[in-house]
Amino acid sequence: MANVVVVGTQWGDEGKGKIVDWLSERADVIARFQGGHNAGHTLVIDGVVYKLSLLPSGILRAGKLSVIGNGVVLDPWALLSEIDKIAMQGVQVSPQNLMIAENAPLILPLHGELDRARESSNAVAKIGTTGRGIGPAYEDKVGRRAIRVADLGDSATLDSRIARLLTHHNALRRGLDLPEIDGDALKAALLEIAPKILPYAAPVWKVLNEERKAGKRILFEGAQGSLLDVDFGTYPFVTSSTTLSGMAASGTGMGPGSVGFVLGIVKAYSTRVGEGPFPCELFDDVGEHLARVGHEKGTVTGRARRCGWFDAVLVRQTCALSGVKGIALTKMDVLDGLPELKICVGYSLDGEVLDYLPTASDRQARVTPIYETIEGWQGSTAGARSWADLPAQAIKYVRRIEELIQCPVALVSTSPEREDTILVTDPFAD
């Protein structure tokens, strides 16, 4: 049986939460491997809406182990708030069903302050971050000055970590006209929260490798989308982590051979939150239709998402980057009733036709999409659970997408509800 990695193949918001939740019934362990609480997953189960940010989507399944890997940057206060929130919905979280990597770096209040100060500065172009401190926390990780989960258990270690951290941050804050951080107050806050976080801490790499050797199925849950990858995304309008499937191994402490079937989540149209290039963006009635019917607002920030036609060029590119073996196509029902649909099959740039998105920012901003028009369908795809439930033209749309992105469809999601899913290929049976 294969382990399965779930990654978004667009700019995030593809519907990964529902797919991970659906797949988690077949898994034993569900592991988050990158990102932070800037990621938002909305799940609808029996009409109840659950909104998760840090917690793996598998937390809603009884008897499953959920893991937050070392590739995640962890805001401990946000995590506890999220645990309390879903407890009010009847979901209990304990060290028996949630484990946090001891070497996961922490997001501190100073990270969020720095993030927001940079975004509000007129001297620097806006990236469009969520302001949650994700980028500054990753900067501290690679700068070797992060405070990690394991550090919460030792007061002397905290002293040296805080001193190193504030040497850097207080110099930055002076330059931004922000007050310096009081190291004693920061330490007190960390020591206060430590007893609530440390019970979840564990050598995740060891536990996951033992689970794999025991034949357990592991589901790796990615956050954001491939086009926000710090290396291969629309840089600099990207997140601060690697969002491709390769991060599943290093972000949990497992070898690359532990990664099996890579499932790419693909929305039936395109959306993007924040700044940056978006070749297929629509500013007309169709764009408004997609935003309205698709309820296109960010789970975490509530920001409106920009909407556009499906971009086969980009999805083919991201499927190649992550080695995607099959896709889960989501939000088909949003396209119901549109008389015609368009798919981007190439780009035009300075008289040249391109079959990929160039790397240079100025070239990315100047590409124009080359569209193929496909007849829409008048029937409903909402709630379909088999191919027979789909209009014939909707099936043609799916098949054309497969051809253009050079990757087969493994799942089709036809509503936010858990069971409204058409299974074509079981990723765990690879």
Side-chain angles (χ1 to χ4, degrees), residues 269-304:
Y269 51 99
S270 302
T271 62
R272 169 163 208 169
V273 172
E275 307 296 325
F278 186 177
C280 294
E281 185 170 10
L282 294 172
F283 302 94
D284 56 10
D285 292 343
V286 175
E288 292 179 6
H289 169 90
L290 297 175
R292 183 180 68 257
V293 177
H295 305 290
E296 295 297 352
K297 288 192 174 181
T299 301
V300 172
T301 63
R303 292 184 295 179

Side-chain angles (χ1 to χ4, degrees), residues 300-323:
V300 172
T301 63
R303 292 184 295 179
R305 297 178 187 137
R306 301 152 63 189
C307 298
W309 293 119
F310 185 83
D311 192 329
V313 179
L314 285 178
V315 175
R316 182 173 62 244
Q317 185 168 322
T318 56
C319 282
L321 289 167
S322 274

Side-chain angles (χ1 to χ4, degrees), residues 56-295:
S57 298
I59 201 71
L60 302 179
R61 296 275 189 180
K64 310 292 182 179
L65 174 62
S66 289
V67 169
I68 296 175
N70 56 276
V72 175
V73 282
L74 179 80
D75 183 325
W77 296 274
L79 176 64
L80 294 178
S81 175
E82 191 173 329
I83 290 173
D84 289 343
K85 190 177 297 183
I86 68 166
M88 295 175 64
Q89 294 183 282
V91 180
Q92 298 304 311
V93 179
S94 73
Q96 281 65 55
N97 65 349
L98 176 66
M99 185 179 296
I100 302 172
E102 295 172 317
N103 53 338
L106 299 180
I107 299 177
L108 308 174
L110 59 85
H111 291 128
E113 292 174 11
L114 177 59
D115 203 354
R116 293 186 291 273
R118 286 172 171 171
E119 281 290 281
S120 63
S121 172
N122 293 325
V124 181
K126 295 185 187 305
I127 299 297
T129 76
T130 61
R132 302 297 176 94
I134 311 300
Y138 274 118
E139 290 174 35
D140 283 343
K141 174 182 178 177
V142 298
R144 294 164 293 183
R145 54 181 173 265
I147 295 173
R148 305 196 295 179
V149 171
D151 299 333
L152 296 175
D154 181 70
S155 178
T157 296
L158 267 184
D159 285 336
S160 63
R161 294 282 192 272
I162 290 172
R164 181 177 177 85
L165 182 76
L166 295 190
T167 297
H168 174 80
H169 275 273
N170 280 337
L172 278 179
R173 293 173 72 89
R174 287 192 293 271
L176 291 167
D177 293 325
L178 294 174
E180 294 190 13
I181 298 294
D182 182 335
D184 291 336
L186 175 59
K187 181 180 180 180
L190 289 170
L191 290 177
E192 180 183 8
I193 204 167
K196 302 174 184 177
I197 295 296
L198 287 173
Y200 297 99
V204 157
W205 67 270
K206 183 174 185 295
V207 173
L208 289 182
N209 277 282
E210 289 171 350
E211 294 284 87
R212 180 183 62 81
K213 290 176 182 177
K216 299 296 180 67
R217 294 172 170 178
I218 301 172
L219 179 60
F220 298 95
E221 178 180 3
Q224 288 94 33
S226 300
L227 293 167
L228 296 175
D229 182 81
V230 70
D231 288 311
F232 290 98
T234 49
Y235 192 90
F237 305 101
V238 294
T239 193
S240 299
S241 62
T242 295
T243 59
L244 303 179
S245 63
M247 187 65 185
S250 60
T252 57
M254 301 190 71
S258 302
V259 175
F261 192 100
V262 179
L263 181 70
I265 314 302
V266 181
K267 191 180 285 187
Y269 51 99
S270 302
T271 62
R272 169 163 208 169
V273 172
E275 307 296 325
F278 186 177
C280 294
E281 185 170 10
L282 294 172
F283 302 94
D284 56 10
D285 292 343
V286 175
E288 292 179 6
H289 169 90
L290 297 175
R292 183 180 68 257
V293 177
H295 305 290

